[in-house]
Amino acid sequence: MIKALFPKLRIVGRDNVIRVLGDEEQMAKFESNVENMRKHILKFNSLKAEDILDIVNGQKTQDEIPEGVVVYSVSGRPVKARSANQQKLIDTYFHNDMVFAVGPAGTGKTYLSIALAVKALKEKAIKKIVLSRPAVEAGEKLGFLPGDMKDKIDPYLQPLYDALEDMIPAARLQDLMEKHVIQIAPLAFMRGRTLSDAVVILDEAQNTTPAQIRMFLTRMGWNTKMIITGDLTQVDLPREQSCGLREALNILEGIDGIGVVRLNKKDIVRHKLVTRIVNAYEAYDRERKTKNNSNNESINKD
């Protein structure tokens, strides 16, 4: 199709190299159009026949028309806010250097945060993305998992890999990870580092201790944005251990440069059953709390 659009040029494709012979002015136009196609693929992760026609004719492609899109998935699907609070998260990110995104499962906290980081990397606003999670056991023991330390830790980080794989083509993602442009590591590996020119995301922050989250927040360097996500209803810490995310919110909310976004069950974008499950557990928790309070009152009267 590209050859047909440039009939005066001799065009030969070999692997990832295109060789062109012909009039210099035509070759310059061809080079400019191919560069625009390359940029289109980097941004939208797809290149359709109609996109090629639009680019060659100097028009905007259909992908460029929609507003509010953060990035495009590898399948070409636009990633954007799907609720008012998700849009608030995006706006808060652009107006603050540190953002706390707190809400129940399925509200898109992690996915949207990683989309914002990928956008910044593609636009060369930063040099690297650093993703971290506390490796806290949710009813399972690390020691019983097979393999070395990396094999034991990777299952905890899999949701971060999943989101990245949805937004960056596999070969490109592998290359970025090998070059440490994208880094995924347990929270314990953050100690002693200063993170500059980066978007740094701490996921599942409700499972951090006060000391851990304090250590993480002080890793911030120049030209860095931090996003801290968590769900205060799903704390897997031992009962006697304080929740670092809850303490950090109490201490830091209201400080200039730090934004807090609270998502709720109305923002859940997973299967409709997730909303029903969240509602059922909330009702159960309220009932249990009421029962415990009435039992305590009875004991006090006795």
Side-chain angles (χ1 to χ4, degrees), residues 167-232:
M167 297 177 210
I168 302 174
R172 176 70 176 150
L173 178 58
Q174 183 66 31
D175 181 55
L176 291 171
M177 293 185 73
E178 286 175 358
K179 292 177 179 175
H180 301 292
V181 174
I182 295 178
Q183 303 169 22
I184 304 178
L187 179 58
F189 289 20
M190 294 293 107
R191 188 172 295 281
R193 299 183 66 183
T194 300
L195 303 168
S196 301
D197 293 310
V199 172
V200 188
I201 298 172
L202 174 61
D203 192 33
E204 299 288 340
Q206 77 274 6
N207 289 329
T208 59
T209 65
Q212 285 174 329
I213 200 165
R214 185 173 181 175
M215 176 274 291
F216 175 83
L217 297 177
T218 54
R219 300 305 94 201
M220 195 173 198
W222 293 106
N223 188 37
T224 290
K225 283 182 178 280
M226 281 189 166
I227 307 176
I228 300 93
T229 71
D231 177 3
L232 291 171

Side-chain angles (χ1 to χ4, degrees), residues 16-297:
N16 65 339
V17 176
I18 300 175
R19 299 188 185 280
V20 190
L21 291 173
D23 178 72
E24 282 193 18
E25 188 176 331
Q26 282 284 311
M27 287 199 304
K29 184 182 178 184
F30 175 82
E31 184 181 4
S32 174
N33 282 314
V34 170
E35 176 61 15
N36 287 335
M37 292 176 204
R38 188 186 70 83
K39 288 178 179 177
H40 187 278
I41 292 171
L42 280 176
K43 183 175 181 180
F44 302 110
N45 289 314
S46 69
L47 185 69
K48 302 181 286 292
E50 53 267 34
D51 296 330
I52 294 172
L53 281 172
D54 287 337
I55 290 169
V56 171
N57 292 327
Q59 300 172 350
K60 282 192 172 185
T61 65
Q62 288 300 305
D63 288 327
E64 293 179 273
I65 295 169
E67 295 183 359
V69 176
V70 180
V71 292
Y72 286 77
S73 72
V74 292
S75 62
R77 178 178 57 82
V79 177
K80 57 183 180 179
R82 294 171 62 182
S83 72
N85 282 329
Q86 286 191 357
Q87 186 59 52
K88 186 180 177 183
L89 171 56
I90 294 171
D91 296 340
T92 303
Y93 166 84
F94 286 115
H95 290 94
N96 296 274
D97 289 333
M98 184 178 291
V99 180
F100 287 85
V102 184
T107 50
K109 306 181 300 293
T110 303
Y111 193 81
L112 208 52
S113 298
I114 290 176
L116 288 165
V118 170
K119 175 183 172 68
L121 187 65
K122 285 189 172 187
E123 293 176 351
K124 294 182 167 45
I126 55 164
K127 293 180 180 177
K128 60 178 177 279
I129 297 172
V130 181
L131 309 175
S132 187
R133 267 185 150 208
V136 174
E137 301 145 350
E140 300 169 272
K141 296 294 180 183
L142 273 172
F144 288 105
L145 293 172
D148 58 18
M149 181 53 71
K150 183 181 184 302
D151 295 326
K152 293 175 189 289
I153 292 297
D154 269 358
Y156 290 92
L157 307 176
Q158 192 58 48
L160 305 179
Y161 287 111
D162 290 344
L164 284 170
E165 287 167 359
D166 198 31
M167 297 177 210
I168 302 174
R172 176 70 176 150
L173 178 58
Q174 183 66 31
D175 181 55
L176 291 171
M177 293 185 73
E178 286 175 358
K179 292 177 179 175
H180 301 292
V181 174
I182 295 178
Q183 303 169 22
I184 304 178
L187 179 58
F189 289 20
M190 294 293 107
R191 188 172 295 281
R193 299 183 66 183
T194 300
L195 303 168
S196 301
D197 293 310
V199 172
V200 188
I201 298 172
L202 174 61
D203 192 33
E204 299 288 340
Q206 77 274 6
N207 289 329
T208 59
T209 65
Q212 285 174 329
I213 200 165
R214 185 173 181 175
M215 176 274 291
F216 175 83
L217 297 177
T218 54
R219 300 305 94 201
M220 195 173 198
W222 293 106
N223 188 37
T224 290
K225 283 182 178 280
M226 281 189 166
I227 307 176
I228 300 93
T229 71
D231 177 3
L232 291 171
T233 67
Q234 292 190 13
V235 179
D236 296 318
L237 293 167
R239 192 176 294 273
E240 67 277 3
Q241 180 66 65
S242 299
C243 172
L245 176 59
R246 186 174 282 112
E247 182 179 282
L249 287 168
N250 290 336
I251 295 170
L252 302 177
E253 189 166 4
I255 291 179
D256 189 37
I258 298 177
V260 177
V261 180
R262 287 184 166 83
L263 298 100
N264 54 52
K265 55 192 175 186
K266 292 180 181 177
D267 302 301
I268 292 175
V269 292
R270 289 183 188 166
H271 193 285
K272 58 186 178 183
L273 269 179
V274 175
T275 305
R276 296 174 192 169
I277 290 168
V278 170
N279 287 338
Y281 270 97
E282 284 183 354
Y284 171 77
D285 288 340
R286 282 195 300 271
E287 186 180 335
R288 190 172 62 171
K289 189 175 181 180
T290 303
K291 189 180 289 185
N292 287 341
N293 288 339
S294 61
N295 288 341
N296 289 336
E297 286 176 10

